[in-house]
Structures are given as structure tokens and as C-alpha cells.
């Protein structure tokens, strides 16, 4: 089997709530997503998606995905997409770094591999555990009472896990955490996600003020060393996200016992291949993980569902359904939330079919 054509699409995904805000006054109203379709000489095709959360969240940006694909895609024509490790090493030699650029290609190749095998990707990643995957809902940063009201609404939709966007003024964040926890049930999970927004002295104030609250602290500060310092000064369960960007950082953090849980973003790792490796390392170390991505639509959500559903239940903290955060559907067959849970498709590959009317004409074609 050989790759004969790689088509690249640009899609705008408006945020369903109107905007999505996090630490430092950052926010987006429309997500700029890049979709990749890989065609082969045997008539099979695969799709992938990469959607950075604007240019100010991580060292990635939407136009950079497409610029990087202009470097990578022409070199992959004629290669076998089912030889995913070989293809991955080639991408590393053609374009140093920029793992997010490679993510959509890697995911599309897994989609093709599943179709060749006649198996869903979840089976290729180890097999599904349990009937469903429990989801979390991210709550955009606003006034404490507004965030509490939104959490109440999402509870009514079946969610039981909530990622509260903090990382602003320490006093406001303390109030946000207390206000939301007060209206949750004892079994509901609350995560205070600072998205690197606190300086160490602010983070210390917050963890001290909420030390009696049932809450997880996520990525309080910018650097790994700063986060490790806060970790060593609190008994609250601790999550790392932005500082974990591949298997090497997973190994370091596990050795330092720097966290109780890790958020694995598929595109930050460079695709399903390295995200799976990171997942397996964390499981061996007894660390729980959330499977997600920077953002995206139906195809990103499908990839999340397959990796999450194949993660051992003992280590599976949660996942998210990004296609419910946006107003535009770009693929048929994507997982849909039911009572705060989703299920990986049992169809071959990712189980999605590109909606060509929604994505429009490709912005670039390499053949």
C-alpha cells in the first residue's frame, strides 16, 4: 500500500458558548482546525485533525500546522501508511520538532491501519476496557457565581467531573473553587486548572486556602520546577499538563513523583503513536491519566475516544468530548456524549467519515 495523495483542509469551529477563556485573560471564540485526509493506491483513506488552542496556549499555532505539512506531506507520497513507526521516524528527519504538525498525519495512518485490519483503532491500541469513558467538562474562566451556575447546568447533562479554569487572581480563584465545590455532590470530581497562570507565591496561597477542599490542582505554574515545588508543599492530588509533552518528560516526572495524574494531549505528543507510549509508561508507573488534546472537533474527539477507551480503567482518570464544545460537525460517525460518557466506535479505523460539505475544498493537495 502506498500514499498517493494528502489533502489539507482548514475549518473554523465556533465555540458553542461564544468564547472559551482561561488564565492570563486568554481566550478564543473560533477555533482554527486543520484536517488531513490521506488517500492510498488501494482505495482506502484515513483522516486526522490538529486544532491548537489559538497561538498563545502552547508553542503551536494553526497556520503552523499547515506550513509544517507543506514541508512534510510531499516527502510521504509513495510511503506505506501502515508502517506507522517507519513513517514517524521519517517525519522526524524531514521536520525537526514541531510534533503537533505530525499529529494529524499519524492519526490518519492509524485510521488506515484499522481499515486494513478490519478493526477499530481502540482494538489496535490494546482493546476497550469497560463499556464507556467518563468525561470531564472544562468550565471557561468567569466570575465565581457564573462558573458555579454553568457547572450546575452541565451536571444536569450528566457530567460528574469538572475542570475549572483558574490561574487568575488568587483571591478570585479561591472563591471560584469554594463556590463550585459547594454545589457539587461528594462523588463529583473537581479540578482547579491554572494552565500555568500562577506565580509560585500565588499558587502557594491558593493550595493553602483550599487544603480542606476536595479538589485536584492542575499545572499551577509555568515551569516544571515551579510545579514540582508546589507539589511538595501540598497534600492535594496533583496534575501535570503543559509540562508533559512526550515520553521523555513522562519518564522524568515519574522518577520525581511529580504528579498523581497527567493530561496527555494527543497532538502535543505528535499523534496516537507517542501518546500511546506515554500512556503505557504512566500506567506502568501507577499514574492516572486524562486523554485529551489542545482542542478540535469530531476527528480529534474520535482519536481521544480510542486512546481513552483502551486505557486500563484503573489508570483512566477521564477524557473529554471536544466536539460538544463547538457548533460545527466535520465528520459523520464521531462519538457523541450520553449522560457524561462516550464510547469508542466499533467500526474499522477511527469510525468517522469526513463531511466534505462541512470542510469545503482543500487548501492544499500533495500528490
Amino acid at each position: 500500500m502506498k500514499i498517493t495523495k494528502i489533502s489539507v483542509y482548514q475549518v473554523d469551529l465556533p465555540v458553542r458558548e461564544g468564547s472559551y477563556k482561561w488564565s492570563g485573560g486568554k481566550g478564543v471564540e473560533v477555533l482554527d482546525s486543520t484536517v488531513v485526509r490521506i488517500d492510498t493506491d488501494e482505495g482506502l483513506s484515513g483522516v486526522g485533525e490538529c486544532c491548537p488552542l489559538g497561538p498563545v496556549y502552547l508553542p503551536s499555532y494553526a497556520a503552523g500546522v499547515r506550513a509544517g505539512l507543506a514541508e512534510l506531506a510531499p516527502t510521504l507520497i509513495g510511503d506505506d501508511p501502515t508502517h506507522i513507526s517507519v513513517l514517524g521516524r521519517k517525519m522526524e528527519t524531514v521536520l525537526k520538532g514541531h510534533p503537533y504538525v505530525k499529529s494529524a498525519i499519524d492519526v490518519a495512518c492509524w485510521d488506515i491501519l484499522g481499515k486494513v485490519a478490519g478493526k477499530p483503532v481502540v482494538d489496535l491500541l490494546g482493546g476497550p476496557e469497560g463499556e464507556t469513558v467518563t468525561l470531564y467538562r472544562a468550565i471557561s474562566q468567569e466570575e465565581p457565581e457564573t462558573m458555579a451556575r454553568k457547572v450546575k447546568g452541565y451536571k444536569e447533562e450528566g457530567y460528574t467531573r469538572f475542570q475549572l479554569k483558574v490561574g487568575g487572581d488568587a483571591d478570585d480563584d479561591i472563591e471560584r473553587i469554594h463556590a463550585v465545590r459547594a454545589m457539587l455532590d461528594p462523588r463529583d470530581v473537581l479540578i482547579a486548572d491554572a494552565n500555568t497562570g500562577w506565580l509560585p507565591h500565588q499558587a502557594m496561597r491558593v493550595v493553602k486556602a483550599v487544603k480542606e477542599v476536595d479538589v485536584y490542582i492542575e499545572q499551577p505554574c509555568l515551569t516544571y520546577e515551579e510545579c514540582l515545588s508546589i507539589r511538595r508543599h501540598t497534600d492535594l492530588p496533583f496534575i501535570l499538563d503543559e509540562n508533559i509533552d512526550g515520553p521523555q518528560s513522562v519518564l522524568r516526572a515519574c522518577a520525581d513523583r511529580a504528579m498523581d495524574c497527567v493530561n496527555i494531549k494527543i497532538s502535543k505528543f505528535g499523534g496516537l503513536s507517542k501518546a500511546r507510549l506515554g500512556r503505557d509508561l504512566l500506567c506502568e508507573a501507577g499514574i492516572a491519566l486524562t486523554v485529551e488534546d489542545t482542542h478540535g472537533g469530531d476527528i480529534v474527539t474520535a482519536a481521544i475516544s480510542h486512546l481513552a477507551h483502551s486505557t486500563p480503567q484503573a489508570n483512566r482518570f477521564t477524557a473529554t468530548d471536544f466536539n460538544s464544545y463547538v457548533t460545527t460537525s466535520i465528520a459523520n460517525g464521531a462519538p457523541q456524549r450520553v449522560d457524561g460518557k462516550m464510547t469508542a466506535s466499533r467500526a474499522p479505523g477511527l469510525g468517522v467519515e469526513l463531511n466534505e460539505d462541512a470542510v469545503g475544498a482543500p487548501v492544499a493537495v500533495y500528490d
Side-chain angles (χ1 to χ4, degrees):
M1 177 177 286
K2 295 181 179 180
I3 296 173
T4 56
K5 182 167 67 173
I6 299 177
S7 302
V8 179
Y9 304 82
Q10 186 278 324
V11 187
D12 288 335
L13 302 175
V15 176
R16 189 174 298 278
E17 288 188 349
S19 65
Y20 181 81
K21 301 174 183 176
W22 64 100
S23 66
K26 305 179 188 75
V28 295
E29 296 178 355
V30 179
L31 296 154
D32 183 344
S33 191
T34 299
V35 172
V36 167
R37 172 177 169 149
I38 296 178
D39 292 313
T40 69
D41 62 348
E42 296 187 15
L44 293 177
S45 63
V47 293
E49 179 186 7
C50 180
C51 184
L53 186 57
V56 294
Y57 173 54
L58 291 174
S60 62
Y61 67 109
V65 181
R66 296 184 286 274
L69 288 170
E71 298 289 332
L72 279 176
T75 71
L76 305 179
I77 303 302
D79 289 345
D80 190 330
T82 68
H83 295 172
I84 298 177
S85 295
V86 174
L87 204 69
R89 288 191 289 271
K90 182 173 182 176
M91 287 196 288
E92 288 297 321
T93 64
V94 172
L95 180 66
K96 199 73 172 176
H98 304 281
Y100 70 104
V101 171
K102 301 158 187 169
S103 180
I105 290 176
D106 179 85
V107 171
C109 289
W110 278 96
D111 190 19
I112 292 170
L113 181 62
K115 292 172 181 176
V116 170
K119 295 280 189 178
V121 169
V122 65
D123 286 8
L124 305 182
L125 295 174
E129 286 213 11
E131 296 298 320
T132 59
V133 174
T134 301
L135 303 169
Y136 79 82
R137 187 74 188 194
I139 307 300
S140 178
Q141 187 178 112
E142 298 184 66
E143 293 301 313
E145 58 273 15
T146 302
M147 297 178 82
R149 185 171 63 251
K150 286 189 174 181
V151 167
K152 184 176 184 297
Y154 283 122
K155 269 183 61 65
E156 293 171 355
E157 293 183 17
Y159 287 102
T160 58
R161 302 184 179 195
F162 303 93
Q163 186 193 71
L164 207 62
K165 293 302 180 183
V166 290
D169 176 82
D171 291 317
D172 291 341
D173 287 334
I174 292 166
E175 188 177 348
R176 288 179 175 112
I177 293 167
H178 280 288
V180 171
R181 185 71 255 183
M183 53 79 55
L184 291 177
D185 295 331
R187 289 182 176 271
D188 292 338
V189 173
L190 179 62
I191 303 156
D193 180 13
N195 287 118
T196 77
W198 291 321
L199 294 174
H201 76 96
Q202 296 170 310
M204 284 298 298
R205 283 195 62 219
V206 174
V207 298
K208 181 178 179 181
V210 301
K211 64 180 180 180
E212 303 301 329
V213 178
D214 183 6
V215 62
Y216 288 72
I217 301 297
E218 180 175 333
Q219 192 69 41
C221 304
L222 179 62
T223 70
Y224 175 80
E225 290 76 15
E226 289 168 337
C227 288
L228 186 58
S229 174
I230 304 303
R231 156 76 163 172
R232 290 171 174 170
H233 283 85
T234 181
D235 293 328
L236 293 171
F238 205 83
I239 302 172
L240 284 180
D241 182 353
E242 285 84 353
N243 293 146
I244 305 298
D245 58 5
Q248 289 297 327
S249 60
V250 167
L251 290 171
R252 179 190 182 193
C254 287
D256 290 339
R257 304 305 296 180
M259 68 284 165
D260 303 292
C261 182
V262 166
N263 284 5
I264 286 187
K265 288 179 165 61
I266 292 171
S267 65
K268 186 170 61 172
F269 274 63
L272 282 170
S273 299
K274 288 192 176 180
R276 176 186 63 167
L277 175 57
R279 185 270 308 270
D280 292 346
L281 290 170
L282 288 166
C283 290
E284 285 297 315
I287 304 294
L289 65 141
T290 290
V291 179
E292 54 170 29
D293 213 320
T294 47
H295 225 290
D298 290 315
I299 301 169
V300 160
T301 302
I304 289 170
S305 72
H306 287 283
L307 184 60
H309 211 155
S310 62
T311 297
Q313 287 184 288
N315 298 89
R316 186 197 305 155
F317 187 49
T318 187
T320 198
D321 56 325
F322 277 135
N323 58 351
S324 76
Y325 289 65
V326 298
T327 61
T328 300
S329 176
I330 60 173
N332 302 318
Q336 302 297 318
R337 168 176 42 86
V338 178
D339 294 329
K341 299 178 175 63
M342 71 176 175
T343 304
S345 172
R346 294 304 303 166
L350 292 177
V352 298
E353 181 180 349
L354 189 64
N355 183 336
E356 297 188 15
D357 290 335
V359 300
V363 296
V365 176
Y366 306 95
D367 53 16

